[in-house]
Amino acid sequence: MVIQLHTHNNCIKQLSLGNFKHYMLKEIYETPFAIRKTYENICDVDFLKIFKHIKDITFIGCGTAYNSCLIGNELFKELGYNTVCELASNYQVSKEISKNHLHIIVSQSGETADCLKAAEKIKQLKGKLLIITNESKSTLTKFADYIILSKANKEMAVASTKTYCCQVFIFAYIYKVLSNKNYKLNIIDFSNKIENYIKNLNIQDIVEQINSLDKIILIGKDIDYLTLVEASLKIREIDYIFTLPIYSGELKHGTLSLIDNKSIVLALNSSNNAEKLKTAINEIESRGGKVLAFERFLQNLEVDSCYLPIYSIIPFQMISYYVAIERNLNPDMPRNLAKSVTVE
Ligand code: BG6
């Protein structure tokens, strides 16, 4: 199926499926190129100037865009900013906004009604607003003091994959620049590493073990837990399986009651510290549950820890895609969902 798109300079670009059966899988494979184009677009931005007098940062988004904000929130908190992450649909603007407060709204379409409403409130109070979006001409950009374009290009599948990775990449890159760490990237090498990583992912055994389940618990700590919030949304929205991401230390405080000898739990531990999830894994296995560990995908990556969430999420994106195939579902068009929700 070929969809022809007229770009603003009127050259016709073809969004064809090529050798892929679905856009979702094609877009996962496009992630390295999308990150490379995004880097080329932001590498000369003076982030030190944008963040110079900022003390407070509020991250705002919906769905997967909100989940990328969770990663940004964690990284910028580490830099010492007072950060908070808000769902756009629940954003309560304060009475006034200080000049040291930056709001960051992430929206791939730039048309999500909840985000537009939040942007309007922020501008009414003269708040500073940075927008991260795929669409340079979207409504949301009209409210922006600063616009960062994620060059993920058109994402046809309803569920966000390459766009999420680009959003996380942008936050991780800004984090590196602001932490004065050596942030210069050999972007060809960086994107080739991700490309090889994707090509060599072998997730079939996990797909076979989970594709008939009706509920899956996912456990992790620190930034891994935040990745699992997005991983569980992928499996929920694409495979229609109920998923629960839980901070591993919390399992014993209630959720352990769900574990029985038919339970399969997905465990993400991107650090090399095997101790991190040991207690939770013992709690699960001693009740007959089975734990599928994901660290096998993350060995010997030689990548800055701030970029690890990009590598952590891709196996889950792939798994949600192949489980949908096993369950004869359409991964591009999950039931009840839309690519951009322009109503509140
Ligand atoms: C959901 C989409 O409906 O809206 C997600 O399925 C997306 O992919 C979310 O992240 C927010 O949309 P947007 O355009 O604001 O990123």
Side-chain angles (χ1 to χ4, degrees), residues 62-65 106-110 112 115 158-160 237 338-341:
C62 303
T64 293
V106 179
S107 171
Q108 55 90 15
S109 65
T112 300
C115 292
V158 164
S160 169
E237 65 182 341
K339 184 63 186 167
S340 173
V341 182

Side-chain angles (χ1 to χ4, degrees), residues 294-305:
F294 275 59
E295 45 265 40
R296 75 183 207 224
F297 298 119
L298 302 169
Q299 303 303 321
N300 319 312
L301 284 176
E302 288 174 26
V303 68
D304 271 322
S305 58

Side-chain angles (χ1 to χ4, degrees), residues 76 114 159 183 217 234 253 256 258 333 335 337:
F76 282 67
D114 293 326
Y183 58 83
I217 291 172
K234 280 284 140 322
H253 300 298
L256 196 57
L258 289 180
M333 308 286 286
R335 66 184 176 197
L337 301 182

Side-chain angles (χ1 to χ4, degrees), residues 2 29 49 51 54 67 71 75 83 101-102 147 149 172 176 181 220-221 223 230 232 235 239 258 270 277 295 313 319:
V2 175
Y29 276 86
K49 187 170 167 222
F51 286 85
I54 300 302
N67 294 341
I71 302 287
L75 291 174
T83 63
H101 191 156
L102 177 66
I147 300 170
L149 276 189
K176 288 281 283 181
K181 289 182 179 154
K221 268 189 172 163
I223 205 158
E230 170 57 15
S232 57
I235 296 171
D239 308 325
L258 289 180
S270 61
L277 302 184
E295 45 265 40
I313 193 60
I319 284 163

Side-chain angles (χ1 to χ4, degrees), residues 89-250:
S89 53
N90 187 41
Y91 177 63
Q92 315 293 332
V93 71
S94 44
K95 295 192 184 27
E96 57 179 316
I97 298 177
S98 88
K99 60 182 181 356
N100 308 109
H101 191 156
L102 177 66
H103 283 72
I104 299 178
I105 298 184
V106 179
S107 171
Q108 55 90 15
S109 65
E111 300 301 340
T112 300
D114 293 326
C115 292
L116 296 180
K117 198 169 161 217
E120 208 169 341
K121 289 180 193 172
I122 293 160
K123 293 319 282 181
Q124 278 162 2
L125 288 165
K126 305 206 180 347
K128 256 199 263 332
L129 184 55
L130 183 152
I131 302 291
I132 297 176
T133 185
N134 291 21
E135 304 297 336
S136 59
K137 301 258 183 303
S138 61
T139 309
L140 195 57
T141 56
K142 295 177 178 40
F143 295 97
D145 297 287
Y146 312 102
I147 300 170
I148 297 180
L149 276 189
S150 151
K151 303 297 271 184
N153 208 337
K154 207 86 189 122
E155 197 171 51
M156 303 298 285
V158 164
S160 169
T161 50
K162 62 176 178 176
T163 290
Y164 172 82
C165 290
C166 286
Q167 291 161 351
V168 168
F169 172 76
I170 289 168
F171 284 134
Y173 178 72
I174 300 174
Y175 163 85
K176 288 281 283 181
V177 171
L178 297 180
S179 48
N180 296 318
K181 289 182 179 154
N182 170 20
Y183 58 83
K184 285 290 175 204
L185 273 180
N186 174 334
I187 194 60
I188 302 292
D189 179 44
F190 185 87
S191 57
N192 286 345
K193 265 186 190 170
I194 298 174
E195 189 169 347
N196 293 330
Y197 174 74
I198 293 173
K199 281 180 181 161
N200 295 312
L201 271 180
N202 178 359
I203 43 98
Q204 203 47 42
D205 61 313
I206 295 177
V207 171
E208 283 159 10
Q209 292 181 77
I210 70 169
N211 72 47
S212 55
L213 296 178
D214 59 5
K215 79 169 185 291
I216 301 174
I217 291 172
L218 303 91
I219 62 168
K221 268 189 172 163
D222 307 326
I223 205 158
D224 289 338
Y225 166 70
L226 304 177
T227 297
L228 292 177
V229 174
E230 170 57 15
S232 57
L233 176 60
K234 280 284 140 322
I235 296 171
R236 207 160 54 242
E237 65 182 341
I238 302 293
D239 308 325
Y240 314 162
I241 296 174
F242 180 79
T243 53
L244 177 69
I246 187 163
Y247 206 84
S248 53
E250 266 302 283

